[in-house]
């Protein structure tokens, strides 16, 4: 039995509220169970210096956690003067994931920055950030299209992510913190709306895993991402 009482293939309740930030070109608050992440998209007409003159756009991301997003207070990274390795790794993952779902030629020479701020953490914050970040990106691109700043839709497909792992010897989807902290195997799956893989992060945390178990986790991830994409579509209607 999972600590939450969910069955092996059951996702946490998902909700995505859009338009939560007045000034951002795109924004949403995504809730995956008790993990809540505020995602905003900001458009800059100038691309990064290394892309000037190439005709290509860029999507990047920043990620952070509020001090009391967890059960004990974490010092703000700004107060420490540097980002942790974990933070840098997560925001690079978010940026890579979202760029996989966009046509950078159609976007044109501009940059969209996705800010993901974790308000409350209960496992799966990077996956929630990718899923919510895509919604914020979609809303920002909608504004570009409405203004006539882009001639064709640069969004290729939905992008969403879900965690899967082996907990108490069983493959489970959408791990909360109680499961994540005890999982023998932990993985994050980033996929498109059409079910194409963007990135898979898998590691043996306490026990090795077999190829068959990895396949079962992938099956769970495909179904979980399908639910997340449905939630994205519902939020944008």
């Amino acid at each position: 039995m999972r600590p939450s009482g969910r069955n092996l293939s059951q996702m946490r309740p998902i909700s995505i509220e859009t338009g939560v930030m007045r000034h951002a070109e795109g924004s949403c608050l995504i809730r995956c169970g008790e993990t809540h992440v505020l995602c905003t998209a900001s458009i800059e007409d100038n691309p990064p210096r290394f892309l000037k003159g190439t005709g290509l756009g860029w999507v990047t991301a920043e990620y952070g956690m509020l001090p009391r997003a967890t059960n004990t207070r974490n010092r703000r990274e700004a107060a420490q003067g540097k980002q942790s390795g974990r933070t840098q790794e997560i925001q690079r993952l978010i940026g890579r994931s979202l760029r996989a779902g966009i046509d950078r030629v159609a976007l044109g020479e501009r940059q969209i920055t996705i800010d993901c701020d974790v308000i409350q953490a209960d496992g799966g914050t990077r996956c929630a950030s990718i899923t919510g970040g895509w919604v914020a990106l979609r809303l920002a691109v909608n504004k570009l299209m409405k203004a006539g700043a882009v001639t064709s839709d640069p969004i290729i497909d939905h992008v969403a992510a879900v965690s899967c792992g082996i907990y108490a010897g069983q493959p489970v989807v959408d791990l909360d913190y109680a499961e994540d902290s005890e999982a023998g195997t932990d993985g994050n799956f980033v996929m498109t709306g059409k079910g194409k893989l963007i990135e898979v992060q898998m590691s043996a945390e306490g026990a090795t895993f077999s190829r068959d178990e990895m396949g079962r986790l992938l099956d769970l991830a495909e179904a979980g991402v399908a639910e997340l994409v449905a939630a994205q579509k519902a939020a944008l209607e």
Side-chain angles (χ1 to χ4, degrees):
M1 178 66 71
R2 304 178 70 174
S4 62
R6 288 180 288 150
N7 64 42
L8 303 181
S9 60
Q10 186 177 356
M11 298 279 287
R12 289 177 289 181
I14 306 159
S15 72
I16 304 174
E17 179 184 357
T18 60
V20 295
M21 296 293 285
R22 177 180 179 183
H23 300 293
E25 283 80 16
S27 68
C28 75
L29 175 61
I30 181 168
R31 297 180 178 92
C32 299
E34 295 301 322
T35 288
H36 304 167
V37 184
L38 176 64
C39 303
T40 59
S42 302
I43 301 171
E44 299 173 70
D45 288 331
N46 293 319
R49 188 177 304 173
F50 67 90
L51 285 177
K52 286 194 173 181
T54 65
L56 298 173
W58 192 248
V59 176
T60 189
E62 293 188 13
Y63 167 96
M65 298 181 76
L66 296 184
R68 281 314 303 266
T70 55
N71 59 358
T72 56
R73 185 182 187 275
N74 294 307
R75 290 190 64 198
R76 296 180 191 272
E77 293 186 339
Q80 300 179 65
K82 64 177 182 179
Q83 289 182 316
S84 68
R86 176 183 181 274
T87 294
Q88 294 180 55
E89 185 264 326
I90 290 175
Q91 60 192 26
R92 287 170 183 158
L93 169 66
I94 298 167
R96 285 196 306 272
S97 299
L98 296 178
R99 286 194 297 273
I102 199 161
D103 181 341
R104 292 168 54 208
V105 174
L107 181 60
E109 285 196 27
R110 56 178 53 85
Q111 175 170 282
I112 302 179
T113 301
I114 308 299
D115 287 293
C116 302
D117 293 288
V118 180
I119 298 171
Q120 183 170 283
D122 186 34
T125 61
R126 72 187 67 195
C127 292
S129 296
I130 291 168
T131 303
W134 184 89
V135 173
L137 176 63
R138 172 76 270 181
L139 291 168
V141 167
N142 287 350
K143 287 198 172 183
L144 286 173
M145 294 176 64
K146 186 175 181 180
V150 294
T151 56
S152 61
D153 188 359
I155 299 286
I156 300 169
D157 199 355
H158 288 254
V159 175
V162 69
S163 63
C164 295
I166 298 176
Y167 172 78
Q170 295 288 336
V172 297
V173 69
D174 195 17
L175 283 71
D176 55 29
Y177 179 76
E179 295 168 330
D180 187 41
S181 60
E182 298 291 335
T185 298
D186 187 21
N188 298 298
F189 296 79
V190 188
M191 304 176 73
T192 69
K194 295 182 176 69
K196 297 288 187 180
L197 288 167
I198 295 173
E199 187 155 341
V200 176
Q201 300 177 330
M202 286 283 294
S203 59
E205 302 288 344
T208 57
F209 56 95
S210 68
R211 183 170 180 173
D212 177 64
E213 286 172 325
M214 185 173 181
R216 292 166 69 189
L217 293 176
L218 180 56
D219 290 340
L220 288 173
E222 286 181 337
V225 165
E227 284 192 41
L228 292 167
V229 168
Q232 289 174 332
K233 291 178 178 178
L236 292 165
E237 286 180 353

